[in-house]
Structures are given as C-alpha cells and as structure tokens.
Amino acid sequence: MNNLVVVESPTKARTLQKFLGSKYQIEASMGHVRDLPKSELGVDVDKDFEPQYIIPRDKKKRVNELKKAAKGINTLWLATDPDREGEAIAWHLAGVLGEDKSTKRVVFHEITESAIKEAFENPKEIDIKLVDAQQARRVLDRLVGYKLSPLLWEKVKKGLSAGRVQSVALRLIVEREREVLAFKNEEYWVIEAELSAADPARRHPGETQSVSIGSERKDSIAEFTLERSEGLQNDKKTFVAALIEKDGKKLAIKNKEDTDGHVKNLKTCEYVVSKVTQREVRRFPYPPFTTSTLQQAAANRLGMSAKKTMMLSQALYEHGLITYMRTDSVNLSAQAITAVRSYIESSIGKAYLPKVPRIFKSKSRNAQEAHEAIRPTDVRTQGLALRGKGDFNKDHIRLYELIWKRFVACQMNEAVMDQTAVDVKAFQSTSEESPSATPGTRKPTSGVYTLRATGSIVKFDGWLKLYGKDIEEDGDEAKQALPKMSENQQLHLIELLPSQHFTQPPPRYTEASLIKKLEELGIGRPSTYAPILSTIQERFYVEKIERKFIPTTLGITVTDFLMKYFADIIDYAFTARMEDELDEIARGEREWKPTIRTFYEPFEKKLELVERTAQKVKMEVQFAGKKCPECGKELIVRIGKFGKFLACSGFPDCKHTEGLEEKVNAKCSLDGGDIVIRHTRRGKTFYGCKNWPVCKFASWTKPKSSVPELIK
DNA sequence: CAGTGAGCGAGCTTCCGCTTGACTT
C-alpha cells in the first residue's frame, strides 16, 4: 500500500473508499489529533505565545494506529475539511505522521467522483496562513478561558468557568431575566366588533373560502390543509373587525372606563365599509437545514433538545440517510437538486416545481461552508421506509421526516395568498334620513371610528403543502375568512367584544431561541451549540424550567463580575471582531502572534489589576422561606458542587443541610420513603431514598412502582 | 452509589472546536 488518506470521520472514510478504490488506504483521525494540554495553560506568553501541543490521552490510540498505517507508505494524503479547523487538523497530522514522506493536501467541497478526482489530480500544500488563523483562535480562547476562570475561583467560587462563548451565552440569559423582572405590565383594551355583511337581496355562494393553516403542534409536523367551505360559512357572512382609530387618530385604550365609553358609542353606530384593499402575497420556502436551524426546528416542532437532535442525526448520518449534520452551509449539490426536482415533478405535481432551482445563500457571515446543507442523501427514501429497520425508533423517523420535508419544500414553488384588509367606518346615524339614502353622503366629520378586519386566503399552497410555517411566524396573520365586500356597503353590528389585555415582557430564552441568537451574533460553531447549553447548566449558572432558561444567583453574580471588569470580552461583538482579524490572518494580511499580543497585553494588565484590587464577591442571599429544624434560623438556598441545596443561615455554628432533590414517582422498598434523584461524586445519576443516611436504599435504575414491594 | 457552605491550604478546577467510542465504574 503506497497511499494513505486521512479524513476526520469514519463515515467520510467509507464514502471516499468507494470512489478511490483499493489503491488507497483511508483512515479517520476522529477530529483533532493534537491540542494544548488540558492541565496547564500550554501557551508560553513570554516566548511569543508559542503553543505547546500534545496528543491528548484519548487520541493516543488512534494516533498510534495512524502511525502504523503510515509506516512504509510513499504518499500521505490529507483530505480533511476545507475550512480553518480542517486545515489545522491536516497540519497537525503532517506533523505527527508526515516525516520523511511526501505529504499532499487535497481539498474538495463535495464528495462526488468528479470533485474527488479533481482534488487528487491537483493536490496542494497546506495553507499555513489558514492554520495560523486557527492557532490564533485556539490560543485566544485558551488565554481567555484559562486566565478568567482562575480569577473567578479566587474572587467568586472555586470550580467556575468563563470563556469567549459560554460567558456571552450566560450574559444573554441574565440580561433577558433582568428585562423580564423589570417589566411592568400595562393594561390595554381591544374592542372588536362582530359584523354581518349579509344582504338578503344578493347571495354569493362559493365566494368565501375558509382556510385553515394546519396549526403547528409540538409533536407532529402539521400538514397544510386547504378547505373550501362551499357555502357553509357564507350563510353567516359574519366577520370580526378591530377598532383602530377615532377621527383619523390611532386609539390606545388604557382602561375599562374608556372602553365602556367607546362601546356605548359604538352600540348606536352605523357601520359602512370604507375601503377594501387586496394584495397578493408570496411566501418563499425556508432554506434547507444547517445545524443551527435543524436544532431550532426540532425543538419547536418536535420538542427535542439540541443534544437529542444531534444524537439522532448522528445515527441517521452513520446509516447513510442524511448528509453531515454539523454544517453552517445551505448549499445543495447539483445531483441533489436534480433528484429533488424530478421527485417534485413526478410525485407532488408539476405545478409545484419552479422553473429554475432555488439557490440559497448563507446569512451568517462567519460561515465556513465546508459541508453541504443537511438533507436526505436519497430523496426517494421516505420516513416510513425507516420503520422497523435497524435500530431506528420513532424519534429517528420523526427527525428524518422533518429533514426530508424541509429539503423537498425548499425546492418547491412559493405559496400565493390573497391578503385582504377591510376598513369599516362607524358613526352615529342621523335618524331623519331615509334608509335608502346613499350611505356615503351622510358621513359626519367627527366621532367617526375606524375598524379593520384582515383576512387571508391561500390561492396556491406551494411548499406549504409539505412543510408549513414556523411557529413564531404564526399568529401575526389573521386567518379568518372574510365575506366578499365592496366599498360603501352597509354592515350590521351583531356584537361588540371588548377584552382586557396586558403587555407582555420579552420571552425568556429557550434552547431554540438561544441557539438562534448565538448564531446571529456569530458566536459558537455547529459542533458546539449543543455543548454550550450543557456547560452553562452543568456549572449551575442557569436552570431550565419548563424549557426556559433562568439564571441562578451564581450565574447573575458571575455575569456581573465579568461585566464590571471584562465587559470588552463578553461584548456581543467581540467574536465578530475576532473573526475579522482571523480572516485577515488567513489572507496573509496580518500575523497571528502580534495579533494575539495586541489583545493580550491590555488583558494581562487588567487581570493583574483585578486580582490585586477586587474584593471577593458576596453572592446575594436567597431565603428558602423555611426555618432550620435544629436551631430555628432561616434556611437559605446555596449552590454547591452538586447543585442547589438548603443550608442553615447560622453556618458555621449550625451545620444543618437539606437536599433539594428531584422526586420521582416511586417509594422506597425498604421504608416507603420518597425516591429522589441523586448524583455520585463523578456526576452519574442514581436513585436513592429520601431518608438517607437512615435508610440505605439506592439503585442505578429508576424504581418502577410507587407501591411498596411485598415482604416475602 | 451519598454531598455541598468558612478557613486552614494539599491538589485540583478551567477554554473552544474537531470527532466517536468505552481496559466497568
């Protein structure tokens, strides 16, 4: 064997083997093979930031196997991803394996026979400028993380962590919480009027359409349905319009008294259509999935965590069902587009196929685009085909179907809606005038209310047939069906519907909305979104309650500390500026070491200053609202290395503590006490009796029944 | 299978980004 090819992943290795044949041995590196040591800084700041690279323990075995495979070969081909990290992996591989042999870098953006052939016929050198950009990124993150964290140990609490990414994620959650807590509800009222456009003289059978856009359920992908209610709705000819103006001025109603006044006036008004506007609106499909958008959609539509989404998609990927799941690209291969277009034409309908394929562009400025978008590898494989196959469960199938639908929909025709807005004027009628008079001629100039009704009719469902709209976009569009109306048409008031409302605070972040925000800020990468969410929870900086992130007192304290002294580093734009400089390094317009020095020198000064002058931070005391059973003092909530617990405020005189363990619906088989979730020192969860240490019951698995077992 | 907080002051904690298994607890 004369040729060894190294790629990152075993799946990519298998695919490549098919194209390259038996003349090449292909091995996977399993990601990076060298890194800075975990146990120390590993950056010599006095020697021009020279990084100290080692082979991490868990990579030793793989590297030894690679070394064995590289023995005696003539050519080492480095076929890692065409991006910053991929180039660095190639460089490290060359350093570990490449001595005394020819080393070639091959770059391809899609795994097709022609692209691979082209790459192997035109090998390159390793681009050291791109490697330097990666080294700068790596060293910067190490310096920030490994300098700030120990400062937190000293000034706040041991074991804490800070970093360019996690500290910003935490800051977002803390600041949002403050907005929520500072928010003052304001009362406002909405007055709606149910009106009838019935006209006994004329009927318009079939003129109205009732449209129900399948409401998005968390547990299923709603199918878009279009129902035509032939005449059913028409008989009523009623609709709802909301009060918006009085005498041409916007109305903001703040209380019940004003509402009652308007309602009283409106009761005796005449209602006339003043304006009907209709416009055609086109809705374009979403781009195919990237990691971030897949995680968001799986959370919003399927209720899956980012972690679960990644585990499921990994399995789909390894079985060859989808393309690579860690990507920031929305690009699609030419073959995939050809295949899906033919699928749409033959299986969905010619009307759904656009004349030309849709090309999507990446929105995120920091996208590195080493992979395709996430899509099914074969559009002809439907989710149903996975049923009962291999180790796939229901969730694998649901996720696959989501990916499949999003992909097919992205190459379908846009949906076309007719949006109608009807303005209605309401004013006091003058009784002397005959009812046959033209309504428009007797409009008074003051005391005129304007009401507006909006409706939407889908003329062509297009891609919505498959994918539907995203939840957050739902609701802004009224979906009522409006009867056919014309200007100056007289309407009849059926009922006035005043309702009290309160302004709502901004929503707390969910996994989905936080990932979305981080991606917008260019913070984090496809491989790190899910781990970031885990990190800030493992440190007890935030808690997830009913799917929403809420900071703990610890998280708030850490954020306040960092904001006070290192606001520039947890600035939302810090990463964006860093990326600009990394790009300059990659283009050869800047050197990495001076770039790091420019950052580090003031940072180091600040570190010294804070270390010398800052007081140890006292965390805000959180009372538990319970008295200590031993000494009667207040219990307080503390955060220890296993999470929250209750402790006596009289510490250290009183050492009483209480666990805050999560209860499970089960009773102890020994003494009938509640079973609670506990953790070993190493963090593994187990189930134990609440009455420990009196009762010694413990189990790795969840005890099933809440009924105590019979004594034999 | 099991505890947290103070200080005493061992020995250790910590970053981001790339990728999958695993010398068994």
Side-chain angles (χ1 to χ4, degrees), chain A residues 216-220 293-305 402 470-472 510-513 516 547:
Chain A
E216 293 279 329
R217 291 240 203 97
K218 294 224 161 154
D219 57 340
S220 70
T293 54
L294 174 65
Q295 288 170 343
Q296 290 167 48
N300 290 333
R301 295 172 180 239
L302 308 177
M304 289 177 186
S305 68
L402 184 70
D470 272 344
I471 302 173
E472 60 255 41
T510 60
E511 284 205 353
S513 62
K516 187 176 183 187
R547 294 174 174 270

Side-chain angles (χ1 to χ4, degrees), chain A residues 4 16 20 118 130 148 168 181 198 213 222 248 251 254 264 356 358 428 461 481 496 508 592 606 643 649 653:
Chain A
L4 175 65
L16 218 55
L20 291 176
E118 160 85 20
L130 198 50
L148 283 184
V168 176
L181 296 178
I213 291 174
L251 261 184
K254 299 280 185 203
K264 199 180 163 206
V356 291
R358 291 185 192 284
Q428 299 300 326
D461 55 357
L496 285 163
R508 293 187 172 95
W592 83 263
K606 195 66 179 275
S649 54
D653 299 332

Side-chain angles (χ1 to χ4, degrees), chain A residues 85-201:
Chain A
E85 297 295 329
E87 203 70 17
I89 292 172
W91 182 69
H92 284 299
L93 283 167
V96 174
L97 310 172
E99 275 177 37
D100 68 27
K101 56 181 73 77
S102 158
T103 299
K104 290 176 171 157
R105 169 79 168 120
V106 278
V107 176
F108 40 88
H109 285 84
E110 55 178 35
I111 306 185
T112 58
E113 190 158 18
S114 58
I116 289 163
K117 211 177 154 195
E118 160 85 20
F120 275 77
E121 279 168 7
N122 301 289
K124 304 188 196 179
E125 299 287 308
I126 288 170
D127 181 354
I128 197 67
K129 303 192 299 296
L130 198 50
V131 174
D132 283 351
Q134 193 274 346
Q135 296 199 88
R137 199 279 306 155
R138 182 68 190 93
V139 167
L140 175 80
D141 281 336
R142 173 52 68 97
L143 290 172
V144 169
Y146 271 39
K147 289 287 185 182
L148 283 184
S149 300
L151 193 63
L152 291 178
W153 305 341
E154 191 190 331
K155 301 296 181 187
V156 185
K157 184 173 154 13
K158 63 184 174 188
L160 300 182
S161 64
R164 173 178 59 85
V165 171
Q166 61 168 278
S167 297
V168 176
L170 174 59
R171 181 186 167 191
L172 285 164
I173 293 166
V174 169
E175 292 192 341
R176 177 58 55 87
E177 189 67 18
R178 291 218 158 104
E179 287 176 55
V180 171
L181 296 178
F183 190 84
K184 291 205 168 53
N185 279 337
E186 274 182 36
E187 182 183 3
Y188 70 95
W189 286 73
V190 170
I191 302 176
E192 288 178 320
E194 190 181 0
L195 298 164
S196 168
D199 179 356

Side-chain angles (χ1 to χ4, degrees), chain A residues 189-250:
Chain A
W189 286 73
V190 170
I191 302 176
E192 288 178 320
E194 190 181 0
L195 298 164
S196 168
D199 179 356
R202 285 171 59 212
R203 307 195 89 189
H204 307 275
E207 271 179 8
T208 62
Q209 294 176 343
S210 157
V211 172
S212 91
I213 291 174
S215 66
E216 293 279 329
R217 291 240 203 97
K218 294 224 161 154
D219 57 340
S220 70
I221 303 166
E223 290 288 338
F224 184 86
T225 55
L226 182 70
E227 300 165 3
R228 286 184 168 75
S229 61
E230 301 291 344
L232 266 175
Q233 190 100 1
N234 308 354
D235 292 341
K236 270 167 80 186
K237 299 203 87 172
T238 68
F239 65 99
V240 173
L243 178 61
I244 53 166
E245 284 177 358
K246 186 182 182 188
D247 297 332
K249 278 185 208 140
K250 280 230 159 76

Side-chain angles (χ1 to χ4, degrees), chain A residues 218-221 294 298 301-305 307-316 321-322 383 386-388 391-403 547:
Chain A
K218 294 224 161 154
D219 57 340
S220 70
I221 303 166
L294 174 65
R301 295 172 180 239
L302 308 177
M304 289 177 186
S305 68
K307 197 173 171 181
K308 182 170 184 179
T309 301
M310 294 314 283
M311 279 176 59
L312 296 169
S313 54
Q314 175 86 32
L316 295 172
L321 288 163
I322 61 167
L386 275 61
R387 200 162 288 174
D391 310 317
F392 294 128
N393 60 33
K394 218 172 169 174
D395 285 336
H396 288 108
I397 295 168
R398 290 163 77 215
L399 191 68
Y400 179 82
E401 282 178 343
L402 184 70
I403 294 167
R547 294 174 174 270

Side-chain angles (χ1 to χ4, degrees), chain A residues 35-36 41-45 47-53 85 91-92 131-147 164 578 582 592-593 595-597 599-600 603:
Chain A
D35 193 12
L36 301 172
L41 185 65
V43 177
D44 196 336
V45 294
K47 284 195 183 149
D48 220 10
F49 303 98
E50 194 55 42
Q52 175 202 338
Y53 292 118
E85 297 295 329
W91 182 69
H92 284 299
V131 174
D132 283 351
Q134 193 274 346
Q135 296 199 88
R137 199 279 306 155
R138 182 68 190 93
V139 167
L140 175 80
D141 281 336
R142 173 52 68 97
L143 290 172
V144 169
Y146 271 39
K147 289 287 185 182
R164 173 178 59 85
M578 177 194 80
L582 296 182
W592 83 263
K593 287 175 176 175
T595 304
I596 294 299
R597 176 171 299 109
F599 161 77
Y600 187 70
F603 178 57

